[in-house]
Amino acid sequence: MTLPASSSLLLPAGATLRFLASRRRGPGAYLEAHEDEPTMEALRWAAEITALLSGEPVTPAPFVGECRRAGGTFAMTAAGSEPSRAAGYYAVRALVLTGRRGEVPGPLPRWFAGEVATPGLPATVDIDEMFYVLRALEQLDALGLLGPEVSRSLIGFVRSCRTGDGGYAGAPGGPPDTEHTYCAVCSLSLLGEPLGASASRATAAWLRSRFATPSGLATLTAEDDAPSLAATYWGFRAGEVLDAAVWTDRLAPAVSALARPGGGFGAHEDATLWESYCALRVLTRLAATGGATTADAGAAADAGAAADAGAAADGAGR
């Protein structure tokens, strides 16, 4: 998706693509800032950023092949021995974004489904780990592998993570935060049980309180006084899925101000691939909706996201 030439929220595309190129260590191999080896996660962010800015297409191979393990699973690094849900999802996302969906290993969808295929099991994993599985299956048109009983179990688990103020924790009984609230509302949508009107309003209100900061960026929790690009992205996307603009008119300038001189975005001195994706995703959506900050405009933003991506949770940070 490219920005219209008339947009008032212009992105520093050239500088960001140069920053992205500086993190490349070979075909498919990208190094996140402050890390010492390429990861599947960094490849995923590179593919996302390229897709947003319409830069030169990312080539996942041979790195994605170096991270492949037995049974069609993926490890996070070429040297890593253990497959993970996160690495598997990042591989799927990178391959889908670069037009290589046919290269996803055939056994991988059933492996993902097997990670949550026992009713009751989801309560033993964090809600974002469950979200990796759902997102991967959604990307592969394989959510039906879960079956009704497992889907009901997953829905029950997500609902048990809701707190009285409308936010969601990573597991039942924990404190709510922006990240897990995003994972929760997207997961329920993917499972065909989106929040009802009353619950949606309460969650949107909780999210709005996270954006009630001097800068307009969101915080992770109610107790946190340090807004971040990550929390901003999670809160913003959750609001879109809920058809509610939970941000303020301070958001666009606050995010834009975090563009680094050398390209990319970051809350500190150095830009990171992850924060660059968060910033670009938010600015791109704001540009597409004219910087909407009303509930009606938030609904329009969600409709635009669905049209662009084909699913309420597409482009999910997690």
Side-chain angles (χ1 to χ4, degrees):
M1 174 181 180
T2 56
L3 289 178
S6 61
S7 171
S8 62
L9 298 170
L10 296 177
L11 304 182
T16 298
L17 289 172
R18 287 193 296 274
F19 164 69
L20 182 61
S22 75
R23 308 312 303 169
R24 186 174 181 269
R25 297 297 181 268
Y30 289 82
L31 187 66
E32 177 61 289
H34 312 302
E35 294 186 351
D36 55 10
E37 62 180 323
T39 64
M40 193 65 69
E41 184 177 37
L43 168 59
R44 185 265 172 99
W45 301 136
E48 296 277 9
I49 291 169
T50 300
L52 285 171
L53 298 181
S54 297
E56 182 178 349
V58 168
T59 302
F63 179 72
V64 71
E66 294 167 357
C67 294
R68 182 170 171 172
R69 300 293 178 264
T73 58
F74 290 88
M76 192 63 75
T77 66
S81 59
E82 294 297 323
S84 72
R85 302 178 188 95
Y89 167 53
Y90 296 147
V92 167
R93 184 65 180 155
L95 290 170
V96 169
L97 278 170
T98 56
R100 293 170 172 81
R101 178 172 169 166
E103 297 176 22
V104 174
L108 189 57
R110 290 199 175 277
W111 179 83
F112 273 119
E115 291 293 288
V116 291
T118 302
L121 177 62
T124 69
V125 301
D126 191 274
I127 200 171
D128 58 356
E129 288 288 309
M130 184 196 72
F131 186 46
Y132 289 134
V133 172
L134 295 179
R135 278 288 289 145
L137 292 174
E138 180 264 342
Q139 291 281 290
L140 298 172
D141 296 325
L143 281 167
L145 290 175
L146 296 176
E149 187 179 4
V150 172
S151 293
R152 286 194 297 270
S153 178
L154 292 169
I155 292 167
F157 171 65
V158 175
R159 288 173 174 169
S160 72
C161 294
R162 185 179 177 89
T163 61
D165 52 10
Y168 287 79
D177 63 70
T178 313
E179 176 186 5
H180 292 112
T181 299
Y182 165 66
C183 291
V185 299
C186 288
S187 294
L188 290 172
S189 292
L190 289 171
L191 290 165
E193 291 286 340
L195 290 179
S198 177
S200 181
R201 285 194 296 270
T203 297
W206 185 87
L207 289 165
R208 286 191 188 95
S209 67
R210 304 287 72 73
F211 282 90
T213 64
S215 69
L217 299 175
T219 62
L220 184 64
T221 68
E223 292 73 29
D224 187 5
D225 61 358
S228 71
L229 273 170
T232 297
Y233 166 77
W234 289 319
F236 181 91
R237 285 292 293 131
E240 285 199 312
V241 174
L242 293 172
D243 287 350
V246 299
W247 55 93
T248 71
D249 57 6
R250 299 190 305 277
L251 181 58
V255 173
S256 298
L258 295 178
R260 299 296 95 196
F265 291 78
H268 303 289
E269 182 177 356
D270 297 326
T272 69
L273 293 173
W274 161 234
E275 289 180 302
S276 295
Y277 169 70
C278 291
L280 292 172
R281 181 70 171 170
V282 170
L283 290 176
T284 301
R285 293 300 312 137
L286 286 173
T289 58
T293 56
T294 67
D296 288 343
D302 191 58
D308 289 339
D314 196 48
R318 299 303 302 267

